[in-house]
Amino acid sequence: MGMIALDCADCFATWRAQARTLLGHGIDPAEVTWGQGPMDDLLAVPTPLPEGPGPFHARIPAALLAQLEQAGRYRGEQRWNVLYEVLWRVAHGDRTAMLAGDRLGSELQRRLKQVSREAHHLHAFVRFVPLAPELAQSLQLDLIAYHEPAHDILQSASQHFADRLGRQRWLIATPHDGIRYDGRAIDYRRQCPADWLAWARNAEDPGAELWLTYYRHTFNPARLNPDALRQHLPGRFWRNLPEGPLIPQLVGQARQGKQRDGQALEVGRQPGKRITGTPGQVEKR
């Protein structure tokens, strides 16, 4: 018997409906696979899902469904197969599949942590560009940003910005999806419209030079820890940050000796001001 080949279009709701049918008909995880586009598995055949709910009924913990939905945002190999295997084991009474001490549970928990961390990265590293009044009026937007998340966290994590930016209208575009807020409601698109992507990729920040000057002069080479920097600010985000091109330069200067005396030299080059007066009364000119 070949494997049942399915495609849920990376949509959790579609996968959940497919998994419910498979589970109801007792189809083992080893007999089904999810993929995108042409199947490269010679054993996979385009067998349709069985009709109807099937005779098997299981009580699934609500906590597991929440975990599966969260882990479904993880992009990686066996993205949906792993979730069905977890579901199958729990449905048949083995709840250790949800725990980190289990081989499968450990993979589930790892994916949950990766997705949660990527949501944190979205909140920390999205840089909105304020639009000029004329352009803001034309696009009906105040702020715009481009971001490249490693996992599908844009929809679930973007309420953060709606809660904090008030009535401001904003847009976040990614290579996969996009989200827009008009000050009242969120408009999420699983496929980012081409115009949204173009606006975000080509937005010019009017305050970029000021920010770069501030960043360059507040960077302290004496306190640089390159490993901690990359841990908390992964290099894959640098290219989409205004200060990103500066970071390798500043790190290189720190490693070449600026870590010891760089800031003192920069201060020494400043013209300064002449101070006159008595010790008890100083006048600056």
Side-chain angles (χ1 to χ4, degrees), residues 9-45:
D10 287 339
C11 175
F12 178 77
T14 302
W15 173 86
R16 180 177 176 178
Q18 293 172 342
R20 182 188 295 115
T21 300
L22 293 168
L23 190 64
H25 286 272
I27 298 176
D28 189 276
E31 300 174 2
V32 61
T33 185
W34 278 267
Q36 292 282 305
M39 299 300 299
D40 55 7
D41 190 334
L42 296 179
L43 296 178
V45 294

Side-chain angles (χ1 to χ4, degrees), residues 42-116:
L42 296 179
L43 296 178
V45 294
T47 304
L49 283 173
E51 295 183 1
F56 178 72
H57 299 281
R59 295 179 64 86
I60 306 300
L64 175 62
L65 291 178
Q67 287 184 340
L68 293 177
E69 183 173 9
Q70 177 82 344
R73 300 185 180 107
Y74 175 88
R75 295 191 199 128
E77 294 183 359
Q78 299 294 304
R79 176 174 180 175
W80 302 104
N81 293 64
V82 167
L83 302 190
Y84 184 58
E85 188 175 353
V86 172
L87 177 65
W88 173 272
R89 282 181 50 183
V90 173
H92 288 81
D94 183 5
R95 296 199 178 193
T96 60
M98 300 170 59
L99 306 179
D102 178 82
R103 175 196 61 81
L104 188 61
S106 177
E107 176 62 19
L108 174 66
Q109 296 301 322
R110 185 189 71 83
R111 296 185 180 199
L112 290 171
K113 290 179 180 179
Q114 289 290 321
V115 169
S116 177

Side-chain angles (χ1 to χ4, degrees), residues 193-258:
D195 53 351
W196 289 15
L197 198 58
W199 299 342
R201 293 297 300 269
N202 298 314
E204 295 185 4
D205 187 352
E209 286 302 319
L210 180 61
W211 166 245
L212 293 179
T213 300
Y214 171 81
Y215 189 88
R216 186 168 51 249
H217 285 83
T218 57
F219 181 86
N220 187 348
R223 301 187 65 182
L224 174 67
N225 183 331
D227 292 336
L229 172 65
R230 289 187 176 275
Q231 178 183 356
H232 296 287
L233 179 54
R236 62 189 171 93
F237 293 115
W238 293 4
R239 62 183 176 182
N240 294 321
L241 295 175
E243 68 274 19
L246 281 180
I247 296 177
Q249 174 189 344
L250 295 172
V251 171
Q253 290 174 352
R255 287 174 169 168
Q256 294 169 12
K258 192 174 182 181

Side-chain angles (χ1 to χ4, degrees), residues 271-277 282-285:
K273 297 180 180 180
R274 179 174 297 178
I275 301 176
T276 61
V282 177
E283 176 184 357
K284 293 184 178 180
R285 294 181 178 177

